[in-house]
Amino acid sequence: MRGGEPVVNEALKTRALPEGSYDYLLEFLRLYRDAVQIIVDRIWGIDEKLSWKKLHRLFYSDLMRLGFRAHHAKEIYVNAKSLMDSAKSNGGRKPVLRKLSARIDKYDYKLDLDNTTLTLKLHNNYEVKLRLVTPRERVEKFRDWSNYELVVKYEDGEFWVSIYFKRAVKPLEPRTVMAIDLNFDNVTLTVFTLDGKLIRLKKLNTPHRKILTHKIWIERIQRKYPKSWRFIKGVRKAIEKHGERIRNISWDYAHKTGNTIAKLAFRHHSVIILEDLEKLRENNKKGRRFNKKLGLWFYRRIQFCVEYEAMERNLQVAKIDPRGTSSKCPRCGGKLVEDGYRVLRCMKCGFVGDRDVTATINIYKKYISKHSRCGVFGVAPNAPKPDEAPSGMQGNKNEAMTTKS
Ligand SMILES: [Zn+2]
């Protein structure tokens, strides 16, 4: 797998039944746990930074003597070190391991998807074969994936394995560009052809107002009990209830929107262009978009779902710096002023456009000006401009801007 390619990871977790005796497997898991514990005990007091090399030098030959294979040894001290690191960073005590669980490298198992069996290589050259207790369809999904590691566990008398798969995503060659503008009360998306024709426009209302109502309730309660709200059970419960509503509403919306957007982008073979929210934060520290209690967290959630759904469909996603996208004229670069409800007008060239759609045109233009230069689309840098499309767009909001170029 090459470096720059995006990768999707997923684990297949399933119960596993050893064929024949499982004595060796249990013995292996105990030995593994004890070996991790021994290493944790020995490195707990060491304050210097432990490199892999050093760990290897300290423990490799001991572990080999215990009957482990080379990659068992590596997994064991990597495991011990990460246990120690996380215990220390939480200010906790030295971990004491009880559970039987082992991480196993791809060199030490063989997965047979056709027969849904798994062969583990254990200590002292023992092997154990396990049948995976899972429906065929679940396994089928991973046929073209590669797997690189697994965890085997013994819990309440049963064996469980989690097999980690990954797959490189070969992004679809984009044929169109979808620009997405996140606003307080809507998400506006437009699809442009590579030579700048607008072929699709959609606005999805956000539940921001509903979320805000719950926020206001929370603040109202907190103001009423400024010191005590944390300690009075009923008050705290009321706040939690509103918080939960906010979480549900926002995740539901993000999932639905991510799905809608990615489906549409897939149909049009679009590369999806999002605003870089980090940049938005830097640019707009005092900006207008922030005075409205806009939840950046909510935008992040939406983008997260868009990116996830896009990746599932092998679609490309790119981010642009949103600076100026809602204040500059897409035709001449002049300053836009408000001209009635949600309409912007350019004082310089007379361009008039719906506020949200204008923002998406600017987002599209920013992306194209950056990418056409590298020859991605084979479009000359100043070939047909998207700004030729927009005209007056009062009237039907969602049909605005049928192209006339
Ligand atoms: Zn202008």
Side-chain angles (χ1 to χ4, degrees):
M1 226 160 270
R2 268 177 292 134
E5 260 172 10
V7 170
V8 188
N9 295 286
E10 205 171 315
L12 169 70
K13 188 179 178 193
T14 166
R15 203 156 71 80
L17 282 179
E19 292 185 349
S21 159
Y22 54 79
D23 291 349
Y24 289 134
L25 181 52
L26 267 185
E27 189 177 283
F28 171 79
L29 289 174
R30 290 204 184 96
L31 203 59
Y32 186 104
R33 176 192 62 190
D34 297 346
V36 173
Q37 185 72 58
I38 289 169
I39 295 179
V40 169
D41 292 347
R42 278 169 62 186
I43 60 178
W44 185 256
I46 302 176
D47 277 331
E48 63 174 300
K49 225 173 164 323
L50 287 164
S51 63
W52 302 129
K53 223 167 150 185
K54 176 124 197 217
L55 286 165
H56 184 81
R57 212 170 52 236
L58 284 172
F59 301 114
Y60 183 75
S61 52
D62 284 354
L63 289 167
M64 297 307 276
R65 262 198 299 281
L66 286 170
F68 287 113
R69 296 161 56 83
H71 285 89
H72 292 153
K74 188 200 76 189
E75 291 281 0
I76 286 169
Y77 54 69
V78 166
N79 206 331
K81 183 172 186 297
S82 75
L83 278 171
M84 183 191 76
D85 288 345
S86 71
K88 283 198 170 166
S89 73
N90 295 329
R93 279 184 293 175
K94 190 174 76 180
V96 177
L97 304 177
R98 296 209 165 77
K99 289 186 176 150
L100 291 175
S101 157
R103 197 167 270 276
I104 296 179
D105 191 279
K106 67 175 173 217
Y107 297 103
D108 295 332
Y109 68 83
K110 206 168 150 266
L111 178 65
D112 181 346
L113 284 183
D114 291 323
N115 298 305
T116 50
T117 59
L118 173 71
T119 308
L120 299 179
K121 292 180 174 160
L122 308 175
H123 58 303
N124 297 332
N125 292 325
Y126 295 132
E127 279 191 5
V128 64
K129 195 172 186 182
L130 300 148
R131 196 159 55 74
L132 305 179
V133 188
T134 182
R136 269 232 75 79
E137 314 86 73
R138 250 188 101 207
V139 177
E140 241 3 87
K141 173 182 176 181
F142 295 104
R143 192 155 292 276
D144 302 323
W145 298 48
S146 64
N147 56 87
Y148 55 99
E149 197 177 45
L150 64 81
V151 171
V152 54
K153 266 185 199 160
Y154 185 67
E155 224 169 44
D156 304 325
E158 288 180 342
F159 290 97
W160 289 85
V161 291
S162 299
I163 306 166
Y164 295 90
F165 288 90
K166 67 179 170 188
R167 144 180 93 90
V169 183
K170 270 235 160 50
L172 280 181
E173 227 15 80
R175 282 191 226 132
T176 62
V177 179
M178 178 186 283
I180 295 174
D181 181 47
L182 301 173
N183 297 293
F184 183 80
D185 39 28
N186 76 62
V187 173
T188 302
L189 67 84
T190 49
V191 179
F192 293 91
T193 60
L194 298 182
D195 57 1
K197 284 203 182 65
L198 187 134
I199 53 173
R200 191 75 205 249
L201 166 61
K202 203 173 168 75
K203 290 195 180 193
L204 306 158
N205 293 328
T206 71
H208 239 139
R209 244 161 252 285
K210 238 196 255 165
I211 291 173
L212 214 55
T213 314
H214 287 286
K215 270 219 167 109
I216 289 167
W217 270 110
I218 291 176
E219 284 165 12
R220 204 174 283 168
I221 298 169
Q222 284 171 337
R223 256 202 315 276
K224 202 165 164 197
Y225 306 92
K227 296 217 175 78
S228 56
W229 67 267
R230 259 175 238 278
F231 310 109
I232 304 171
K233 200 177 166 199
V235 175
R236 209 180 54 227
K237 275 262 145 61
I239 288 177
E240 276 165 12
K241 225 180 72 196
H242 287 292
E244 201 184 311
R245 285 296 295 143
I246 292 175
R247 260 195 310 285
N248 290 342
I249 293 170
S250 58
W251 272 122
D252 280 355
Y253 180 79
H255 283 142
K256 235 175 55 203
T257 306
N259 202 35
T260 306
I261 287 176
K263 259 193 195 153
L264 202 63
F266 185 74
R267 207 177 305 147
H268 290 283
H269 274 236
S270 310
V271 49
I272 300 173
I273 318 302
L274 301 169
E275 297 169 285
D276 187 333
L277 295 179
E278 285 316 304
K279 296 255 166 55
L280 182 69
R281 200 165 55 114
E282 288 162 26
N283 299 348
N284 284 10
K285 283 237 162 84
K286 283 175 243 138
R288 213 159 45 108
R289 267 170 113 175
F290 264 75
N291 294 340
K292 291 183 183 167
K293 293 187 188 173
L294 277 204
L296 204 53
W297 62 272
F298 184 50
Y299 290 168
R300 280 210 190 89
R301 202 159 279 185
I302 295 171
Q303 287 200 347
F304 173 83
C305 290
V306 170
E307 285 178 82
Y308 180 85
E309 294 294 336
M311 202 178 245
E312 286 273 294
R313 292 169 176 82
N314 292 358
L315 295 166
Q316 283 184 47
V317 176
K319 289 188 178 168
I320 53 102
D321 183 348
R323 181 186 288 273
T325 49
S326 43
S327 59
K328 268 191 200 155
C329 171
R331 192 185 290 161
C332 73
K335 198 171 155 38
L336 293 169
V337 294
E338 288 196 33
D339 186 31
Y341 182 65
R342 293 172 130 6
V343 175
L344 298 172
R345 174 192 293 279
C346 175
M347 301 302 273
K348 232 162 119 189
C349 74
F351 166 91
V352 177
D354 172 272
R355 193 184 69 194
D356 309 323
V357 178
T358 302
T360 66
I361 298 168
N362 280 325
I363 291 170
Y364 163 79
K365 283 195 69 181
K366 271 202 174 185
Y367 174 76
I368 278 289
S369 69
K370 235 187 185 162
H371 285 77
S372 54
R373 236 164 258 155
C374 332
V376 170
F377 296 127
V379 177
N382 37 18
K385 287 180 196 130
D387 43 294
E388 280 154 16
S391 52
M393 47 189 65
Q394 292 97 328
N396 188 344
K397 247 200 275 178
N398 288 339
E399 291 297 308
M401 291 200 13
T402 31
T403 42
K404 298 189 214 154
S405 56

